[in-house]
Amino acid sequence: MNFKRRQFLFFSSLSAIGIGFLGCVAQQSAKKADTATAVPAQQDLLLRFVSVADTGTGGEGQYAVAKAMTNYHSQKPYDLVILAGDNIYTNGEIEKISEVFERPYAPLLKQGVKFQACLGNHDIRTANGDPQVKYPQFNMSGRYYTFSQGQVQFFALDTNGNADWKNQLVWLEQELSRSNALWKVVFGHHPVYASGIYGSNPSFIKTFTPLFTKYKVQLYINGHEHHYERTRSINGTTYLITGGGAATRPVRRSEWTEYSASKLSFASYEVYKDRIETSAIGTDNRVFDKGIIKLHSA
C-alpha cells in the first residue's frame, strides 16, 4: 500500500471517530434538553386551577372545551374549576343538569375535580337560580360566598340585576378587609371591563374597582361575553373573561386589552408566591395566550 493510500485511510478513520463522538455529544445534549422541557421547575407552585363560563348548552362546543379541559388535566392536574355562570341554558332548568354538566365533565368529576359556580343571567330565569345554589356539585354556599385553597382566597358574586346588592357589597368589603390571603381572586358572571357586544359596565367600574384597589384584589374572572379577553393590570387588577365555554361571539380590542380572541376555550392559572401565570387554551389543546399577574407589593 503506497503512502498516499495509507494517509487517506488514516484521516478517514479520524473523521469517522470525530463524527461518532460529536453524534454522541449531540445525543446527550438532546436528552438533557428533553428532560429540562419535560420537568419544568415548579417546586414552588401553590395552586393550579382553571376557569370557564357560558357552558351549559350540552352541545358540540361545550363537549369540545370539556375534552380539552380533561386533556389538560391529564398533563397538568388540577382539582378546581371556577364556573362563572350561565351554567344551564336557556332558562336555568335544573332538570337539564345531566345533559349540560354531569355528562360533559364526567371524566373530571370522576377524578375528584371540584366545580365552584356562580349564577349567570340565564340561570336565574328558573326560581331565581335557587335550584342551582342548592345543587351539591356546584358547591355554592349561597348566592355569594367565599372559600380558600391554600394561600388563595376566592370570592364568588351574584352580579345579576336582581341581586341583593346592598348586603352583598357590605359582605364583600368585610370579607376582603379581614382576608389575610396572599392572593385574592373575585369571580362573577358579568364583566367589569370587556370589548365584546356588551362592553364594559360603567356601574361595575364605579362599584368594584375602588374595592379591588383598596384591598389588593389581583384578579377578576367572569363570563357573559362569549369570548376570551385578558386586560393589562388596571390599578393592580387583571380582568379575565373566559366566556367561550360552548359558543363564541365577536370581540374587539380596547386600549386596556392585552389579548382578546373569539375562541372556544378555557383558562388555566398557576399560582406562585410572587405571580400567577395564566394560559388560554383552545379546543386544539394549544395555548394561544399567556400572561403574568404580579403580586402586589406591600
Side-chain angles (χ1 to χ4, degrees), residues 1-13:
M1 186 180 295
N2 60 36
F3 175 75
K4 288 184 178 181
R5 172 69 172 166
R6 288 197 302 273
Q7 192 178 43
F8 171 77
L9 292 174
F10 173 74
F11 285 113
S12 295
S13 64

Side-chain angles (χ1 to χ4, degrees), residues 47-237:
L47 175 68
R48 181 185 293 118
F49 68 98
V50 308
S51 74
V52 68
D54 303 274
T55 55
T57 66
E60 291 182 5
Q62 182 184 12
Y63 273 88
V65 175
K67 183 177 180 182
M69 290 168 62
T70 301
N71 182 70
Y72 183 75
H73 182 272
S74 69
Q75 299 175 24
K76 294 188 173 184
Y78 56 87
D79 59 10
L80 171 62
V81 177
I82 298 301
L83 190 60
D86 280 359
N87 313 309
I88 305 175
Y89 284 105
T90 299
N91 298 308
E93 310 96 315
I94 197 66
E95 59 267 22
K96 290 183 176 179
I97 195 66
S98 178
E99 174 188 347
V100 305
F101 178 73
E102 294 171 353
R103 286 206 295 266
Y105 305 112
L108 295 174
L109 293 167
K110 287 177 181 176
Q111 295 180 77
V113 176
K114 190 175 183 179
F115 285 71
Q116 296 277 172
C118 67
L119 296 173
N121 54 294
H122 284 269
D123 300 319
I124 63 171
R125 292 182 180 181
T126 295
N128 201 26
D130 289 341
Q132 292 193 43
V133 175
K134 297 173 183 176
Y135 175 63
Q137 295 200 86
F138 281 169
N139 295 291
M140 299 173 69
S141 55
R143 303 182 76 85
Y144 48 89
Y145 61 99
T146 184
F147 66 96
S148 296
Q149 283 215 2
Q151 298 186 55
V152 185
Q153 186 169 356
F154 295 86
F155 305 83
L157 301 180
D158 177 3
T159 58
N160 288 290
N162 68 346
D164 181 6
W165 283 104
K166 181 180 178 180
N167 290 319
Q168 180 173 214
L169 290 174
V170 170
W171 168 87
L172 178 61
E173 181 155 22
Q174 287 177 343
E175 291 296 331
L176 288 173
S177 67
R178 65 168 60 118
S179 174
N180 294 317
L182 185 65
W183 294 98
K184 300 181 184 74
V185 178
V186 178
F187 66 98
H189 181 62
H190 295 83
V192 178
Y193 291 94
S195 304
I197 66 169
Y198 298 110
S200 300
N201 187 322
S203 176
F204 280 10
I205 292 173
K206 184 179 179 181
T207 300
F208 288 127
T209 58
L211 285 175
F212 292 173
T213 302
K214 182 178 181 180
Y215 296 108
K216 295 181 170 56
V217 172
Q218 297 97 343
L219 175 62
Y220 177 78
I221 300 169
N222 67 275
H224 196 53
E225 297 275 20
H226 293 188
H227 65 255
Y228 169 85
E229 186 171 10
R230 176 174 60 88
T231 73
R232 60 174 172 78
S233 177
I234 302 174
N235 296 322
T237 305

